[in-house]
Amino acid sequence: QLQLQESGPGLVKPSETLSLTCTVSGGSISSSSYYWVWIRQAPGKGLEWIGNIYYSGATYYTPSLKSRVTISIDTSKNHFSLRLSSVTAADTAVYYCARSLDHDGGWLQFAYWGQGALVTVSS
Amino acid sequence: DIVMTQSPDSLAVSLGETATINCKSSQSVLYSSNNKNYLAWYQQKPGQPPKSLIYWASTRESGVPDRFSGSGSGTDFTLTISSLQAEDVAVYYCQQYYTTPPTFGQGTKVEVK
């Protein structure tokens, strides 16, 4: 059964870079059938898509974060990663990694989710 | 961006009764070439990640009880939970995946009356 697990620091200082990794088990991140995704949810708030990455390394980001976001993939380690630079308190959120429904029409639908990682931005 | 608006924001339903959640998109999410609505529904219980319930507006994920059903087309969609169970208490989100960025509704909290 597919499982996704986020890992990384739970506390990041303002202006620094947030870094998270999503380790995938029970499936290959090299599959051409899916996209791999980052989504976040601020405390008590709704869901915000951050971006998708394909096994080839092709990336798609939400416009509001595009200048600060980098998503990368390491097929040898079966994981993908998120970096968000110049963070502020507004970036405090639970960060989820997910897998898409498919690689075609469902590439922006999120079929499987990790448990999430709370990242707090504070000095 | 496509704006997704859910109604109501919250509702309380007696066990065994029906809960109905509406979702309206600011533009159509029906793709004419394949006649598919790019609309999904998720369930999020407290302290848990969202769980995909329905995609293509009406296709249930494997393992989702058939008391959950999705309907609608174009810009207006409905999630119906028939015979509400205690374990259905959660926040429900609709999401369009017709175009980037994919966007979610604000959520509807379902409680037991």
Side-chain angles (χ1 to χ4, degrees), chain A residues 4 8 12-13 17-18 32 35 44 48 60 62 68 72-73 75-76 85 87 91 98 106 112 115 118 120:
Chain A
L4 300 95
V12 181
K13 290 182 169 55
T17 296
L18 177 160
S32 60
Y35 280 79
E48 179 183 24
Y60 305 84
T62 194
R68 298 194 290 131
S72 58
I73 193 165
T75 55
S76 67
S85 64
V87 298
D91 295 309
Y112 288 92
Q115 287 299 306
L118 174 62
T120 301

Side-chain angles (χ1 to χ4, degrees), chain A residues 39 41 45-49 52 60-63 96 101-102 105-116, chain B residues 1 38 40 42 44 47-52 54-56 61 93 95-102 104-106:
Chain A
I39 296 159
Q41 184 173 35
K45 301 295 185 183
L47 298 157
E48 179 183 24
W49 175 71
N52 280 27
Y60 305 84
Y61 301 133
T62 194
Y96 296 102
L101 173 65
D102 59 39
W107 73 289
L108 293 172
Q109 197 273 336
F110 314 121
Y112 288 92
W113 297 63
Q115 287 299 306
Chain B
D1 297 4
Y38 285 56
Y42 300 87
Q44 186 175 30
Q48 294 187 21
K51 172 188 174 183
S52 178
I54 287 172
Y55 55 95
W56 302 129
E61 287 276 5
Y93 295 93
Q95 179 231 339
Q96 66 79 18
Y97 51 104
Y98 181 84
T99 189
T100 58
F104 295 86
Q106 80 277 18

Side-chain angles (χ1 to χ4, degrees), chain A residues 8 21 32 35-36 54:
Chain A
T21 295
S32 60
Y35 280 79
W36 304 93
Y54 198 43

